[in-house]
Amino acid sequence: MVSHKEFAEAGKQPGLQVWRIENMDLKPVPKALHGNFYTGDAYLLLYTTSAPSYCIHMWLGEECSQDESGAAAIFATQLDDFLGGGPVQFREVQNFESNTFMGYFKSGIKYKKGGVASGFKHVVTNDANVKRLLHVKGRRIIRATEVDMTWASFNKGDCFLIDLGKDIYQWCGSECNRFEKLKASEVAIDIRDNERNGRAKLHRVEEGEEPQAIIEVLGPITGIAPSIPDDDKVEVSNRKKGALYMISDASGSMKVSVVASSSPFKQAMLSQEDCYILDNGVDKNIFVWKGPKANLSERKAAMAAGQEFIKEKGYSNKTQIQVLPAGSETTLFKQFFSDWRDKDETTGPTKAYTIGRIAKVDQVPFDASTLHTNKAMAAQHGMVDDGTGKVQIWRVEDDKVPVDPSSYGHFYGGDCYLILYSYRLGGREQHIIYTWQGLKCTKDELAASAFLTVKLDDSMGGSPVQVRVTQGQEPPHLMSLFQGKPMIIHSGGTSRKGGQTQAASTRLFHIRQSSNRATRAVEVDASSSNLNTNDVFVLKTSSALFVWRGQGATDEEMDAAKHVTSFLGGSVTQVSESKEPAEFWSALGGKQDYQTSKSLRNMVKPPRLFGCSNKTGRLTVEEVPGDFTQSDLATDDVMLLDTWDQIFIWVGNDANAEERNGAPKIAKDYVDSDPSGRSGLPITTIKQGAEPPTFTGWFQAWDAKMWDTDRLAKIFGHS
């Protein structure tokens, strides 16, 4: 095994290490200069988590030579080898970096002109003789590119940093908005604190108010160009298209054969003995998956196979490549599979850690008594409180019709309901409106339910949180409103007087407890393929009533079954899994395969945050890279937070009408186009300043007063 002297310290501590390729050798870049890249060079980066797990990135500048990019690839392969073949490898190209990569540099990355060949070194200086102009772009992903020091480089829509060493001027174009100014100031602060050791003064300059110091450097203003639109956004629907290929021999001549021509895929398509390419070229992504039992030469040549594939397909050389060993798959890769399950390993990175920058997502056990103090728990379990507040339910007809409280907890698939929940938090009364939409309700009822929700929201001053729920996708909090009784969901029918349709003679109810201990009973097709070893089922036929207990079922699920059987009526026969009588199977149309793998309830998927913005003239969606924080919520945008089993739409106070109106459709499209096949998730709309703990708990150190102060004024003094 070839080992470079720089590898001696590689991966020993959590965090980021960066090397530049200099004369075909590796030279470390000082920590204070991480995030600076010369566009004529190639770099190698290693990110280590405390698990440990590793990500290796080779970064190629726009003007780097073939020799340098070749050397970076060789060093990446050697480092991967040195770390036992376990790291995830990424190929990164200037201006087209992965979100994982951008997440390491929350205050943006800076592209500098030149490189090794032109004698530029990475050194921290207090040099007062700097003279450069940086063009800062981006709302979520921030890139500062060095451009020619002339007024011709400027435009009205962006921020520019005029860096003169002792003084750094942030120039803001007249069409540049507040959030972009804030993000640009993070770059300026980073230069001051890291590159100048804190010895520089920041100044803010609005277009048309340039001080003499700037005129002296750039000369008289010759006219500023209009803002430039961003047109390189891929349509959301395209992002999710993938094809899966098997690589037959990556070492000799590579042959690829199609496994599946379009996503979603099944995890079982990946055999441990082989390597695969997941082709998401429409969104400039290629994944190479290495089976743990594939031959060594194939595993080692995985990155090369990816590069070869891009050439053969005629894809842009800007396409990102990720090489993934089994067990270290990234969220981006896993979402192309409808049934992806991580192995419940007791050690190793997959259980508690996710690859990339999302920190450990700890499983927080549910304890209702600490709901108000423990925001992380409230968020993970989707609970604003313990469900003991006031509940009012209406059925949607032409208007809202009150439901008889004695039948609270029963929901019929032919109906829509409005559920108003009121509770106290921090001394104030808070409200949630759940709009529950049955799968068999009419189009008119659906439209009326949306209209009546808005009307109810308006009548309460617009402060309630609104949650849209599709039948079968009820969030844990809604399930907990019925005081110890399960929520019972009938597949069809209605609770209207006289509107009842005759229920089927054979009915099967699936009873499952959620992570917060609330249970629901959902009517499913009476087929044995719907059984699940982790749960309890109630089967009602014209002559019998069975309660079937799966091996992984809980006592609470058995208790919930009693409520269902007393509603259905009849004398109960208890049945244990694997000891079923013949008439049980015949009532279900015969015995078939069903879900027998042990519970996967404890998966906490890393949350993802997206911004929806039409600042460029059309509505686009962009993911926030890395560990997101409250300051990533752009007050002039609508944001989507995806916590896997529900979606939040956060509406900033300054978002415009198109963003507000377009966001629910984007949220729905986002879920519907998810390659893993999730659909019908609860979508919760919340307004800036009225965030419930189920939302704020996903952000570390939430500050309710953050938006009360002018952050820009704070950064620049009151200039």
Side-chain angles (χ1 to χ4, degrees):
M1 182 168 76
V2 187
S3 172
H4 191 282
K5 62 180 190 311
E6 281 296 326
F7 295 170
E9 292 306 308
K12 291 278 190 291
Q13 252 109 37
L16 187 66
Q17 289 164 281
V18 183
W19 297 272
R20 178 165 73 154
I21 309 295
E22 297 185 14
N23 305 321
M24 302 304 133
D25 202 3
L26 286 178
K27 283 284 172 351
V29 174
K31 203 170 175 47
L33 297 177
H34 286 181
N36 284 294
F37 295 91
Y38 283 108
T39 59
D41 292 332
Y43 292 76
L44 185 67
L45 292 83
L46 173 66
Y47 184 76
T48 307
T49 71
S50 46
S53 64
Y54 309 99
C55 289
I56 294 172
H57 302 259
M58 60 173 190
W59 183 91
L60 310 174
E62 254 171 5
E63 284 115 36
C64 92
S65 69
Q66 286 287 159
D67 289 349
E68 286 168 326
S69 65
I74 291 166
F75 285 128
T77 305
Q78 289 177 357
L79 181 56
D80 180 65
D81 213 13
F82 179 78
L83 294 169
V88 175
Q89 292 182 62
F90 298 77
R91 172 182 179 266
E92 311 281 1
V93 180
Q94 180 184 335
N95 285 315
F96 296 91
E97 295 86 356
S98 66
N99 262 14
T100 305
F101 182 89
M102 296 305 294
Y104 304 145
F105 310 106
K106 283 301 275 185
S107 49
I109 63 177
K110 299 176 273 301
Y111 299 138
K112 298 175 152 186
K113 289 179 163 182
V116 178
S118 40
F120 290 111
K121 291 190 169 59
H122 280 289
V123 283
V124 182
T125 62
N126 301 322
D127 186 3
N129 305 325
V130 179
K131 226 196 230 179
R132 61 176 179 165
L133 178 62
L134 293 170
H135 178 187
V136 184
K137 271 190 92 62
R139 296 172 67 71
R140 267 39 86 183
I141 292 174
I142 321 296
R143 293 186 168 91
T145 309
E146 190 177 342
V147 291
D148 292 336
M149 191 72 144
T150 150
W151 286 115
S153 298
F154 286 72
N155 76 70
K156 293 176 181 293
D158 292 325
C159 291
F160 289 77
L161 299 181
I162 303 157
D163 180 3
L164 304 178
K166 285 200 181 83
D167 293 282
I168 300 169
Y169 294 89
Q170 176 174 330
W171 182 94
C172 308
S174 53
E175 293 167 25
C176 185
N177 70 43
R178 202 172 169 73
F179 189 69
E180 283 159 0
K181 291 175 186 176
L182 265 173
K183 287 295 173 186
S185 69
E186 290 175 14
V187 181
I189 290 168
D190 185 62
I191 294 172
R192 178 192 67 192
D193 294 353
N194 290 317
E195 294 184 39
R196 301 292 138 71
N197 284 325
R199 294 187 179 89
K201 196 164 167 12
L202 302 184
H203 310 269
R204 182 166 132 214
V205 178
E206 297 293 335
E207 180 185 340
E209 296 170 13
E210 292 77 8
Q212 193 52 38
I214 290 182
I215 306 291
E216 279 170 20
V217 180
L218 282 158
I221 299 176
T222 52
I224 304 288
S227 57
I228 316 158
D230 293 331
D231 284 331
D232 56 353
K233 292 279 178 285
V234 183
E235 284 304 313
V236 174
S237 55
N238 268 349
R239 291 200 169 161
K240 305 294 166 55
K241 293 199 171 81
L244 188 64
Y245 298 86
M246 189 173 90
I247 305 172
S248 54
D249 182 26
S251 55
S253 59
M254 180 182 77
K255 293 185 183 63
V256 294
S257 47
V258 178
V259 178
S261 53
S262 72
S263 50
F265 312 124
K266 293 269 185 266
Q267 194 172 356
M269 292 174 178
L270 300 174
S271 139
Q272 306 273 305
E273 280 81 28
D274 293 299
C275 294
Y276 294 81
I277 289 179
L278 195 164
D279 173 5
N280 175 222
V282 286
D283 197 23
K284 295 199 170 69
N285 280 316
I286 298 291
F287 305 89
V288 187
W289 185 85
K290 305 191 290 191
K293 297 177 184 160
N295 75 51
L296 198 60
S297 56
E298 271 186 32
R299 290 165 58 80
K300 283 191 172 175
M303 178 62 82
Q307 289 184 287
E308 187 58 35
F309 184 84
I310 286 175
K311 273 203 198 108
E312 281 185 13
K313 285 277 185 190
Y315 288 148
S316 151
N317 63 354
K318 308 277 192 281
T319 303
Q320 287 168 23
I321 302 174
Q322 296 187 12
V323 176
L324 309 165
S328 299
E329 296 84 359
T330 53
T331 311
L332 217 56
F333 176 83
K334 291 192 281 205
Q335 64 169 9
F336 286 93
F337 294 80
S338 57
D339 61 346
W340 191 274
R341 295 284 182 261
D342 286 319
K343 273 221 277 314
D344 280 346
E345 294 170 340
T346 45
T347 58
T350 21
K351 178 93 173 128
Y353 290 83
T354 49
I355 299 298
R357 286 285 286 160
I358 306 263
K360 187 173 174 184
V361 183
D362 281 316
Q363 268 286 306
V364 184
F366 185 75
D367 171 7
S369 62
T370 63
L371 261 171
H372 293 298
T373 50
N374 185 340
K375 285 188 174 162
M377 182 180 72
Q380 254 183 50
H381 296 279
M383 299 292 286
V384 292
D385 72 347
D386 57 4
T388 51
K390 184 178 172 211
V391 179
Q392 288 166 276
I393 304 179
W394 296 270
R395 188 176 53 255
V396 173
E397 294 183 15
D398 295 334
D399 200 353
K400 56 185 205 300
V401 178
V403 169
D404 180 348
S406 67
S407 64
Y408 277 12
H410 284 271
F411 291 79
Y412 292 85
D415 287 336
C416 287
Y417 301 90
L418 299 189
I419 302 124
L420 174 64
Y421 181 70
S422 309
Y423 64 104
R424 296 195 76 73
L425 179 63
R428 296 215 335 262
E429 187 160 57
Q430 310 275 353
H431 306 281
I432 300 174
I433 302 170
Y434 289 104
T435 311
W436 187 93
Q437 300 175 334
L439 292 174
K440 294 180 180 166
C441 69
T442 65
K443 268 214 167 96
D444 291 348
E445 286 167 335
L446 271 180
S449 72
F451 169 71
L452 291 170
T453 301
V454 171
K455 203 167 144 188
L456 181 58
D457 185 66
D458 287 348
S459 73
M460 304 182 74
S463 68
V465 168
Q466 295 176 35
V467 185
R468 198 195 76 195
V469 179
T470 308
Q471 175 180 343
Q473 303 272 353
E474 292 75 19
H477 185 256
L478 174 56
M479 288 156 55
S480 71
L481 303 187
F482 307 104
Q483 306 319 317
K485 297 206 292 254
M487 184 173 183
I488 299 176
I489 296 163
H490 303 261
S491 69
T494 167
S495 57
R496 296 181 191 206
K497 291 278 179 287
Q500 248 40 358
T501 43
Q502 187 59 44
S505 59
T506 303
R507 303 179 74 185
L508 181 63
F509 285 85
H510 179 178
I511 298 171
R512 171 176 287 181
Q513 186 179 34
S514 75
S515 58
N516 69 323
R517 307 266 188 275
T519 48
R520 74 176 160 195
V522 181
E523 187 174 0
V524 293
D525 286 342
S527 158
S528 56
S529 62
N530 283 324
L531 296 175
N532 185 317
T533 190
N534 298 302
D535 303 317
V536 170
F537 287 77
V538 173
L539 173 63
K540 161 91 168 145
T541 71
S542 49
S543 57
L545 184 61
F546 297 100
V547 173
W548 181 88
R549 180 174 188 155
Q551 287 171 0
T554 64
D555 292 342
E556 289 95 337
E557 286 164 346
M558 287 299 285
D559 284 345
K562 290 176 190 158
H563 292 280
V564 180
T565 54
S566 71
F567 170 78
L568 292 170
S571 71
V572 175
T573 308
Q574 303 274 356
V575 175
S576 294
E577 183 174 7
S578 78
K579 299 199 175 81
E580 297 87 356
E583 64 265 34
F584 176 82
W585 293 122
S586 62
L588 290 172
K591 186 174 182 178
Q592 299 176 52
D593 285 345
Y594 60 86
Q595 175 67 30
T596 53
S597 77
K598 284 288 169 273
S599 178
L600 298 149
R601 277 178 217 170
N602 297 337
M603 286 303 299
V604 178
K605 293 266 202 300
R608 300 172 72 186
L609 182 67
F610 299 84
C612 306
S613 170
N614 70 340
K615 304 294 179 276
T616 57
R618 63 171 213 259
L619 207 51
T620 57
V621 184
E622 187 179 32
E623 185 165 4
V624 174
D627 295 331
F628 54 76
T629 63
Q630 186 181 354
S631 57
D632 288 314
L633 295 171
T635 54
D636 57 350
D637 280 339
V638 172
M639 309 290 294
L640 293 189
L641 176 67
D642 174 5
T643 64
W644 192 255
D645 52 8
Q646 69 166 321
I647 305 280
F648 292 94
I649 299 175
W650 180 89
V651 182
N653 286 343
D654 306 322
N656 62 37
E658 190 188 339
E659 289 161 346
R660 286 168 191 253
N661 301 337
K665 184 178 179 331
I666 285 187
K668 190 176 175 319
D669 290 350
Y670 169 74
V671 177
D672 291 348
S673 68
D674 186 323
S676 67
R678 288 185 293 167
S679 61
L681 297 186
I683 296 176
T684 303
T685 304
I686 52 187
K687 325 242 178 5
Q688 179 185 336
E691 296 87 354
T694 43
F695 178 81
T696 58
W698 293 105
F699 296 80
Q700 255 178 327
W702 181 271
D703 173 10
K705 296 195 171 66
M706 185 175 103
W707 292 297
D708 298 350
T709 53
D710 181 344
R711 285 153 66 208
L712 273 173
K714 234 178 174 166
I715 292 165
F716 292 100
H718 291 274
S719 60

